[in-house]
Structure formats: structure tokens, C-alpha cells
Amino acid sequence: MSEARATEQKAEEKWVNLADVAEHLSVSQDTIRNWLKSGRIPTYKAGKQYKFRLSEIDKLLEDGKLAE
């Protein structure tokens, strides 16, 4: 995939919140919070809320970087 296409896909991707990521991965919200504190997952802040891109979370999962 070209870099331009990858950038375009990210721009179109919907932002999700912590609860959505927990549900997507079938883990608790506390687990997601722990991963946030340890820097294991990428996050973005929008005001007081954390926002995520599921494509980034899925890539970490596929690479085995979320194995406990």
C-alpha cells in the first residue's frame, strides 16, 4: 500500500474511545488503562478523553506486542 493511500485511510478512520477498544479486544477497561500508563498502546487526547485508532491497536495485536 502506498504511503499516500495509508495516510488517506487513517484520515477516514473513525476515532474510538477507551470502552470501544476494551470491547474490541475483549479485555477490561482497567487493562486498557494499565496499557496506557505503561505506554504499550498509542493514544491521542481530545480534551479529557483518550481517543484511539483501531487500526493501530490491531497492528500491535498482530505483531504480538499486546501479549501479557
Side-chain angles (χ1 to χ4, degrees):
M1 177 182 309
S2 72
E3 187 175 323
R5 178 70 180 138
T7 302
E8 182 181 321
Q9 270 188 322
K10 277 192 175 183
E12 293 174 5
E13 185 176 355
K14 180 182 172 187
W15 291 96
V16 297
N17 62 27
L18 188 141
D20 295 329
V21 174
E23 183 177 332
H24 181 70
L25 296 176
S26 299
V27 299
S28 72
Q29 290 184 33
D30 286 339
T31 297
I32 301 300
R33 286 185 192 96
N34 288 334
W35 290 348
L36 279 172
K37 290 176 188 173
S38 67
R40 291 178 67 186
I41 57 176
T43 187
Y44 306 86
K45 289 276 290 219
K48 294 182 179 183
Q49 292 189 352
Y50 290 106
K51 296 295 180 181
F52 306 86
R53 287 189 169 123
L54 289 180
S55 62
E56 294 175 344
I57 302 299
D58 288 342
K59 178 74 172 135
L60 290 173
L61 187 65
E62 290 167 4
D63 292 346
K65 295 182 179 175
L66 293 181
E68 292 187 276

